[in-house]
Amino acid sequence: MICLSTESNIAPFDVWSIYTAINLHFKKGGSYDAFKFNFKGPRLKRETFMANRNRYSFEKLARAYHKKNDLICYFMSNVIAGNVWINNMNDAAYSEWCARIQSLDYRFNAEMCDAATVAQRNGYSFDQLFKPRDKSEVPAIYKLYQAEKVSLESLVILDNLLNYTKSINKNLSDPLEISSDISHRIIKYKPFLRSEMNVEKHKKVVINLFTSVSK
């Protein structure tokens, strides 16, 4: 399982600090790096926390989760699920994320099999999943993500292999920022999964699947 910290017995103020750090990390247009600052929110004051109307929520989480690593993953899993505000966050999003991570390799294999089938059906090469024919079009791999056929974790693994987000962000016309929003989420999520990614294993999965469907 992912380990980002070994600290324990986290105080409510520090829970708020981790929450702030995770939100800033994923904020589009921001430059804050939660890893660089050890998941500590910037310029936070205890008196501000004491006056925070959501203080009880952080106190409750401090009682429920004693390890910093669990709190980091709890907040991160909720943010990538779209639950940005503290009162929208829940244990279900965290549990679902844990289940996805525990079956990461299995899911990646299954989702790449589906992606290869879609590519074959539509006459796409592997590269064309990431490079649409029309520069204003959302890439096919992102459409699969929008359709919940490919998970965010699989997009991260693929970006770890190919670094395709850089090309998508540079070359696509994206006035609605649909593709750039997904790319941003991938880039910010990637360091959380670094310990779980095996380049050779995942590369082999992609090569085997896309070679077999192209025959």
Side-chain angles (χ1 to χ4, degrees):
M1 196 61 178
I2 291 171
C3 181
L4 303 169
S5 174
T6 57
E7 295 179 43
S8 59
N9 298 319
I10 308 302
F13 173 84
D14 296 316
V15 175
W16 176 52
S17 181
I18 297 167
Y19 163 81
T20 303
I22 294 293
N23 267 300
L24 287 174
H25 180 86
F26 281 96
K27 183 178 181 181
K28 192 174 182 183
S31 59
Y32 180 84
D33 183 346
F35 288 82
K36 180 179 179 180
F37 296 102
N38 195 27
F39 300 95
K40 294 180 180 178
R43 299 180 297 278
L44 300 182
K45 297 180 179 179
R46 292 190 180 277
E47 52 267 34
T48 305
F49 173 69
M50 295 305 293
N52 191 313
R53 63 182 180 178
N54 295 314
R55 192 182 77 188
Y56 172 75
S57 296
F58 298 108
E59 292 172 342
K60 183 179 178 182
L61 284 169
R63 291 192 296 271
Y65 297 103
H66 302 290
K67 296 180 180 180
K68 184 174 181 177
N69 191 73
D70 292 339
L71 288 160
I72 292 170
C73 293
Y74 175 88
F75 289 131
M76 175 270 293
S77 60
N78 270 276
V79 169
I80 63 173
N83 307 324
V84 177
W85 304 112
I86 185 64
N87 291 328
N88 292 333
M89 294 182 173
N90 56 78
D91 291 334
Y94 179 41
S95 296
E96 289 168 9
W97 175 81
C98 288
R100 294 201 307 273
I101 297 305
Q102 288 170 358
S103 59
L104 187 66
D105 288 342
Y106 172 81
R107 286 173 176 268
F108 180 71
N109 200 327
E111 290 172 6
M112 288 305 95
C113 185
D114 290 343
T117 301
V118 169
Q120 183 185 43
R121 187 185 306 135
N122 290 279
Y124 294 150
S125 67
F126 175 70
D127 287 347
Q128 286 173 328
L129 286 172
F130 308 91
K131 299 177 182 177
R133 298 183 179 99
D134 185 335
K135 288 189 175 183
S136 63
E137 186 180 353
V138 175
I141 196 71
Y142 284 3
K143 290 180 180 178
L144 289 172
Y145 169 66
Q146 291 174 313
E148 299 183 355
K149 300 295 184 182
V150 170
S151 65
L152 186 58
E153 288 78 23
S154 288
L155 293 185
V156 169
I157 291 171
L158 288 169
D159 195 51
N160 192 53
L161 296 176
L162 306 168
N163 196 27
Y164 64 84
T165 51
K166 184 176 181 180
S167 175
I168 287 175
N169 291 345
K170 180 180 178 181
N171 297 321
L172 288 189
S173 173
D174 188 28
L176 298 179
E177 298 188 351
I178 295 171
S179 294
S180 65
D181 282 349
I182 298 173
S183 292
H184 173 78
R185 202 170 302 143
I186 293 167
I187 292 166
K188 288 296 187 176
Y189 186 26
K190 188 187 293 186
F192 290 91
L193 295 184
R194 203 167 301 283
S195 65
E196 302 299 305
M197 293 188 286
N198 184 316
V199 171
E200 291 306 315
K201 181 193 292 184
H202 295 142
K203 184 189 294 185
K204 188 179 294 185
V205 168
V206 171
I207 290 172
N208 288 343
L209 285 171
F210 282 87
T211 300
S212 64
V213 299
S214 64
K215 291 179 180 179

